[in-house]
Amino acid sequence: VQLQASGGGLVQPGGSLRLSCAASGSIFSIPIMGWYRQAPGKQRELVALISNEHSTTYVDSIKGRFTISGDNAKNTVYLQMNSLKPEDTAVYYCYAFIRPAMGEMSRNYWGQGTQVTVSS
């Protein structure tokens, strides 16, 4: 199983970016996908999660600015980030809780990380 993330970059404060992450490989089901981030000198933190039934969870600091969505048919999760602030600067990691095959237990998978820099 691989997670391929894309969409990071440099944006000015108040700008927008959209992150995408596609899961590929041996996949039976994906109960949860989402995003974490890690800023320099800080611990990795949850940003947002979405279940395969489209229920969502957000960290308080991004509520009202970021929106997570998913496409079950494409095994893909998106993070639309609006009104970006300098404190959103971090490496964003795609996360998925995947059941690789029937009869196997679900486990955690991580993407390679994509840099988001918010600066004027």
Side-chain angles (χ1 to χ4, degrees):
V1 175
Q2 289 188 328
L3 300 180
Q4 183 65 48
S6 62
L10 172 64
V11 64
Q12 292 186 343
S16 299
L17 283 174
R18 188 188 193 214
L19 304 183
S20 300
C21 176
S24 62
S26 175
I27 297 172
F28 178 75
S29 67
I30 308 180
I32 300 171
M33 293 189 80
W35 297 91
Y36 284 71
R37 67 185 180 185
Q38 187 167 18
K42 295 187 177 181
Q43 291 187 335
R44 189 175 298 189
E45 66 170 353
L46 170 68
V47 177
L49 297 173
I50 186 167
S51 76
N52 56 3
E53 296 180 351
H54 300 288
S55 63
T56 58
T57 299
Y58 295 95
V59 66
D60 286 346
S61 61
I62 58 90
K63 284 182 179 178
R65 300 188 296 120
F66 292 9
T67 302
I68 191 169
S69 60
D71 185 333
N72 292 343
K74 296 181 179 180
N75 292 332
T76 299
V77 63
Y78 306 96
L79 186 67
Q80 178 65 43
M81 304 185 292
N82 299 327
S83 302
L84 282 160
K85 303 176 180 180
E87 52 263 44
D88 294 318
T89 295
V91 177
Y92 284 69
Y93 294 92
C94 177
Y95 162 80
F97 189 60
I98 296 174
R99 188 177 180 187
M102 186 180 295
E104 291 191 26
M105 294 181 65
S106 298
R107 50 186 180 264
N108 299 322
Y109 292 88
W110 294 91
Q112 80 281 12
T114 184
Q115 177 70 46
V116 171
T117 302
V118 185
S119 175
S120 55

